[in-house]
């Protein structure tokens, strides 16, 4: 062990973080100080290409000039009023986001998990007041492998032991069926069902794209059984897949969108439930809220995000450059990569588990100046900011190719011994 005098800045920062920061994450060993667009710099002055983009919170890149200008302007006016009063950034944000989604109303919150919690509350209340489910009996159908956040209610219907074990007892009222299986949803629906809650593409599960017919079939089932379809587009939405919402690729419109991550432009946490009046209108004053939800700074930034998405430019970039990303990645199939999934600028890449774990590949790529993160086991997720260039995509996938070739070569040497 080196003494602190000979440790690098990074090593000192990481040691201090491990001493005083709770260990609820296992970050890669890089300490970032600055970011702009697709690039970040660490405390040693090394540059990296960010191919995680804050789990898609940074869809517009680090410090997008329009978003930073909106935030600066708002910082000089008013930042928090609470919802006890109106403020002049709230209406434009809600009206703009509702229009972008083709819905009537927006209920702004802060984190993604809060948007999911809000969706659950709205669906249950709708179930009792509109559908006529007997009080206390509402159920919500969810999918295996889901990731919807970290609150106690939400982890209670996760099937990831790390997310769940040790945190019970959990809230009842959820029924889990396999993801991508609409027949299982059909079989699970009964008179107590108020909603089906799924991710249109499962992010944390490794960017799992369901069968083409899945979302249209869920839409039909929900409409037929008077059940709300809630799509968690917190990671998949707002441009990532080459459309404003991932469900657009299937021509599906949910009853409720859950949005977060990129809605805050990588500047502040902003999340929202977006739905029509006949659904969101069930919430009356005093029944739900958040001190910070819809605050002036969040609304100003959220509104600037909506402005960026209104032109379709970012969706188009994700679509066109997504084809480059996926074709480059396909070339690595059989060369250390066993599967590639995803849509737009979003890819789950399964590494041959005999070669390396996702964590090892992430560390190898870090040394090459590319930031990615493993999801589970041998899967890494690539999700660059949508401002990424074609050359940067080739640079990152080229580095992945080199890393895999090096791992393959050392595995061969190992076998020969
Ligand atoms: C990240 C994420 C959430 C939770 O968002 P937080 O802001 O971390 O609470 C919920 N659903 C999906 C699909 C996500 O990717």
């Amino acid at each position: 062990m080196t003494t602190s005098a000979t440790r690098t800045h990074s090593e000192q920062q990481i040691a201090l973080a491990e001493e005083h920061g709770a260990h609820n994450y296992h970050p890669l060993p890089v300490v970032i100080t600055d970011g702009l667009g697709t690039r970040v710099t660490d405390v040693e002055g090394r540059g990296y290409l960010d191919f995680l983009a804050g789990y898609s919170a940074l869809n517009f890149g680090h410090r997008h000039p329009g978003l930073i200008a909106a935030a600066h302007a708002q910082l000089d006016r008013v930042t928090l009023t609470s919802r006890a009063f109106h403020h002049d950034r709230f209406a434009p944000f809600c009206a703009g986001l509702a229009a972008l989604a083709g819905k009537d109303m927006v209920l702004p919150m802060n984190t993604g998990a809060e948007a999911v919690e809000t969706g659950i509350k709205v669906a249950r209340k709708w179930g009792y007041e509109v559908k006529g489910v007997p009080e206390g009996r509402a159920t919500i159908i969810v999918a295996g492998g889901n990731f919807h956040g970290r609150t106690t209610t939400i982890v209670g219907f996760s099937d990831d032991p790390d997310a769940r074990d040790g945190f019970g007892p959990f809230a009842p009222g959820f029924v889990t069926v396999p993801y991508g299986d609409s027949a299982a949803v059909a079989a699970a629906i009964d008179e107590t069902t108020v909603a089906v809650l799924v991710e249109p593409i499962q992010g944390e599960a490794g960017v799992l794209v369901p069968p083409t017919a899945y979302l249209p079939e869920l839409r039909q089932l929900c409409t037929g059984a008077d059940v709300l379809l809630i799509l968690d587009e917190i990671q998949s939405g707002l441009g990532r897949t080459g459309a404003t919402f991932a469900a657009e690729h299937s021509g599906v419109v949910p009853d409720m969108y859950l949005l977060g991550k990129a809605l805050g432009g990588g500047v502040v946490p902003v999340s929202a439930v977006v739905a029509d009046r006949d659904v969101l209108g069930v919430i009356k004053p005093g029944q739900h809220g958040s001190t910070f939800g819809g605050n002036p700074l969040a609304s100003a930034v959220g509104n600037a995000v909506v402005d960026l998405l209104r032109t379709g430019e970012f969706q188009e970039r994700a679509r066109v450059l997504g084809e480059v990303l996926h074709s480059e990645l396909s070339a690595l199939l059989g060369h250390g990569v066993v599967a590639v999934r995803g849509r737009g600028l979003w890819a789950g890449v399964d590494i041959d588990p005999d070669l390396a774990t996702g964590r090892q590949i992430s560390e190898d790529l870090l040394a090459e100046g590319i930031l990615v993160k493993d999801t589970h086991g041998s899967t890494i997720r690539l999700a660059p900011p949508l401002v990424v260039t074609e050359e940067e995509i080739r640079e990152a996938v080229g580095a992945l190719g080199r890393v895999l070739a090096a791992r393959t070569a050392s595995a061969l040497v190992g076998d020969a011994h």
Side-chain angles (χ1 to χ4, degrees):
M1 197 63 210
T2 52
T3 65
S4 74
T6 60
R7 282 197 214 157
T8 63
H9 274 130
S10 302
E11 286 164 346
Q12 290 172 33
Q13 292 270 339
I14 290 167
L16 200 60
E18 284 182 353
E19 195 176 342
H20 297 292
H23 294 186
N24 57 327
Y25 281 88
H26 180 31
L28 291 173
V30 56
V31 182
I32 294 166
T33 57
D34 292 89
L36 186 64
T38 52
R39 308 254 171 194
V40 297
T41 308
D42 74 4
V43 287
E44 325 299 343
R46 280 198 61 187
Y48 302 84
L49 200 45
D50 182 355
F51 260 57
L52 179 64
Y55 299 99
S56 293
L58 290 158
N59 276 4
F60 310 99
H62 293 270
R63 294 195 293 126
H64 183 282
L67 302 180
I68 294 301
H72 275 156
Q74 195 58 41
L75 283 172
D76 288 335
R77 293 180 58 211
V78 64
T79 53
L80 190 73
T81 56
S82 86
R83 293 289 307 283
F85 314 108
H86 288 276
H87 64 76
D88 69 350
R89 312 309 301 181
F90 185 79
F93 171 52
C94 292
L97 181 57
L100 183 75
K103 296 284 186 193
D104 296 334
M105 298 178 108
V106 170
L107 198 165
M109 296 292 283
N110 310 284
T111 65
E114 288 174 309
V116 176
E117 290 277 354
T118 304
I120 291 167
K121 286 175 72 175
V122 171
R124 286 176 173 172
K125 203 148 204 306
W126 174 90
Y128 299 130
E129 292 182 0
V130 180
K131 181 169 175 170
V133 172
E135 185 59 38
R137 297 201 44 217
T139 54
I140 295 175
I141 298 172
V142 298
N146 69 70
F147 181 86
H148 296 290
R150 300 294 197 169
T151 65
T152 48
T153 294
I154 294 171
V155 299
F157 58 84
S158 165
D159 51 19
D160 174 357
D162 281 339
R164 189 186 155 87
D165 289 359
F167 300 118
F170 300 119
F174 299 93
V175 177
T176 306
V177 299
Y179 186 65
D181 182 349
S182 53
V185 172
I189 289 178
D190 65 21
E191 67 288 348
T192 68
T193 309
V194 296
V196 173
L197 163 62
V198 296
E199 299 154 80
I201 293 176
Q202 285 190 330
E204 296 304 308
V207 196
L208 296 189
V209 182
T212 317
Y214 182 58
L215 292 177
E217 284 169 2
L218 291 190
R219 177 65 280 179
Q220 214 181 347
L221 283 169
C222 287
T223 304
D226 197 20
V227 165
L228 299 177
L229 177 60
I230 307 178
L231 291 184
D232 180 344
E233 293 253 18
I234 290 167
Q235 194 168 155
S236 59
L238 307 183
R240 173 59 52 196
T241 65
T244 305
F245 302 107
E248 274 174 55
H249 298 294
S250 324
V252 165
V253 176
D255 299 295
M256 237 191 269
Y257 289 105
L258 308 181
L259 302 176
K261 292 203 164 99
L263 192 56
V267 180
V268 283
V270 185
S271 69
V273 170
V274 187
D276 278 334
R277 195 162 290 110
D278 58 345
V279 174
L280 212 37
V282 299
I283 298 288
K284 299 290 187 308
Q287 296 175 346
H288 189 58
S290 157
T291 304
F292 288 91
N295 70 69
L297 182 59
S299 297
V301 172
N303 199 28
V305 165
V306 171
D307 282 345
L308 291 180
L309 288 167
R310 201 174 279 128
T311 67
E313 173 200 334
F314 287 94
Q315 295 88 322
E316 180 67 6
R317 281 191 77 83
R319 196 182 62 72
V320 172
L321 292 171
E323 280 168 23
V324 176
L325 175 68
H326 284 276
S327 88
E328 292 281 304
L329 286 171
S330 309
L332 297 178
L333 284 166
H335 301 276
V337 169
V338 295
V340 180
R341 293 171 303 272
R343 185 141 214 174
L345 281 172
W346 202 19
V349 180
D350 292 345
I351 307 299
D352 179 354
D354 292 337
L355 214 51
T357 62
R359 174 77 188 190
Q360 288 170 320
I361 295 297
S362 302
E363 286 174 358
D364 291 356
L365 281 171
L366 178 68
E368 294 273 331
I370 311 291
L371 301 185
V372 303
K373 191 74 169 64
D374 49 305
T375 59
H376 289 113
S378 289
T379 303
I380 57 168
R381 163 180 26 202
L382 303 185
L386 310 183
V387 295
V388 73
T389 63
E390 190 168 332
E391 293 93 87
E392 288 171 332
I393 292 171
R394 294 189 200 285
E395 182 184 335
V397 180
L400 178 59
R402 280 196 303 282
V403 158
L404 291 168
R407 286 266 170 192
T408 307
S410 59
L412 286 174
V413 171
D415 284 350
H417 282 227

